[in-house]
Amino acid sequence: MATNRETVDLVDGDVVRQFARAAVLAALVGASIFVTIPYPFSPAPITLQVLFVFLAGLVLGPVWGAVSMLLYLTAGAAGLPVFSGMEAGFGPLVGNTAGYLWSYPLAAALIGAVVHRGTDLRNPADVPLPIVVAALVAATVLIYAVGTAYAAWLQALEPWEAIAGYALPFVPAELVKMVAAIAIVKSGRLEPVGS
């Protein structure tokens, strides 16, 4: 009997390392739910999730940063309690704050595209500070625009009500997260694979 032997090409080592980093950042976003600060001025708590969205875009770039956040959303949809309040399943992906969750892959991709100037990765520690700040501000605006617009649509809120309840109260916390993300990448300890 003749045997049919096929060869399988191995996955490139850089792809494996990028996927591993994407998985680690997805896990860190999920683990960040344990740092949840109830906020009396909003139905959404303060979490560290956005810090890891920032780091995903800064370190992994536009493609793998977005993949990382999609892994996070997939893990939560599959039943892992990685969403705020240790929630899981599809409920959080369609609930009041779902817009924020769905914006995470977009925000990571935006940060990565601005900081890395495309899909070729460079060391974010070498990127001029104004570019990093602009990328983080743009991503924050994107996250809050999508999150607030979705909450307004879902709850039939007036725009000012949605902004007052779902965006403005979090500006100080987001500024702190931006400073933390900048300090982490400017430390030079997180170089992208292949840089």
Side-chain angles (χ1 to χ4, degrees):
M1 177 187 282
T3 59
N4 184 7
R5 298 178 71 137
E6 295 181 30
T7 61
V8 176
D9 291 331
L10 296 177
V11 176
D12 183 57
D14 282 349
V15 172
V16 172
R17 282 188 289 282
Q18 286 292 69
F19 187 83
R21 284 179 150 192
V24 166
L25 272 162
L28 288 171
V29 174
S32 73
I33 64 164
F34 293 108
V35 181
T36 300
I37 303 166
Y39 203 52
F41 302 110
S42 175
I46 294 173
T47 70
L48 294 179
Q49 291 170 308
V50 173
L51 171 62
F52 294 106
V53 174
F54 291 164
L55 292 174
L58 289 166
V59 176
L60 300 175
V63 174
W64 288 102
V67 167
S68 177
M69 295 304 101
L70 290 171
L71 285 172
Y72 162 70
L73 295 176
T74 302
L80 291 176
V82 295
F83 299 132
S84 183
M86 293 199 62
E87 291 187 22
F90 288 106
L93 296 174
V94 295
N96 292 344
T97 59
Y100 296 100
L101 296 172
W102 290 110
S103 71
Y104 291 173
L106 301 173
L110 174 62
I111 292 166
V114 171
V115 169
H116 297 282
R117 295 186 191 156
T119 57
D120 290 336
L121 300 183
R122 59 188 185 153
N123 188 339
D126 298 335
V127 177
L129 183 61
I131 292 173
V132 175
V133 170
L136 297 180
V137 169
T140 302
V141 169
L142 173 67
I143 290 167
Y144 281 91
V146 173
T148 302
Y150 180 82
W153 170 77
L154 186 66
Q155 299 175 54
L157 300 174
E158 292 295 322
W160 68 267
E161 289 176 302
I163 291 168
Y166 286 90
L168 289 180
F170 300 100
V171 171
E174 296 312 317
L175 293 173
V176 171
K177 292 174 205 172
M178 285 182 205
V179 170
I182 291 167
I184 291 167
V185 297
K186 289 297 184 179
S187 74
R189 295 181 185 262
L190 299 175
E191 290 187 30
V193 173
S195 68

